[in-house]
Amino acid sequence: DYKGQKLAEQIFQGIILVSAVIGFICGYITEQFGWTVYIVMTGVALSCLLTLPPWPMYRRNPLKWLPIQESGTEEKKPGDRKPKRHAKS
């Protein structure tokens, strides 16, 4: 459902943003770029764990599909269509 996709996207972006800010601050204070990378990668792994599987919180608003059509209805064949007319310029 679309609301679940939006929620997953917001959670994903929020976790990555927060981890990037925390990682930058910790890396700046300790003067170690490695800490920044480790913290950001931990945030990416956490956000993937929370947003990639189809958790029930993302499936609360299922889409309503059209009913199945009966097989007795006729479908138009490609030869039954009218040819398109192109506008003259």
Side-chain angles (χ1 to χ4, degrees):
D1 72 73
Y2 295 114
K3 290 182 182 180
Q5 288 177 359
K6 182 178 179 181
L7 176 63
E9 180 72 22
Q10 289 173 341
I11 290 172
F12 186 79
Q13 289 179 354
I15 291 173
I16 290 179
L17 179 66
V18 169
S19 68
V21 169
I22 292 172
F24 178 77
I25 292 171
C26 289
Y28 185 76
I29 290 172
T30 61
E31 296 179 0
Q32 293 290 322
F33 183 69
W35 280 99
T36 302
V37 173
Y38 292 141
I39 292 172
V40 171
M41 293 307 288
T42 303
V44 169
L46 178 66
S47 63
C48 287
L49 179 68
L50 291 176
T51 59
L52 290 181
W55 298 107
M57 65 182 174
Y58 303 130
R59 296 184 285 156
R60 291 185 180 165
N61 303 306
L63 297 175
K64 297 190 186 210
W65 296 90
L66 293 174
I68 299 173
Q69 293 182 353
E70 296 293 325
S71 60
T73 59
E74 292 183 19
E75 296 181 16
K76 286 189 173 183
K77 296 178 185 176
D80 294 341
R81 292 189 226 153
K82 293 181 181 178
K84 294 182 181 178
R85 293 187 177 194
H86 298 287
K88 295 180 181 178
S89 16

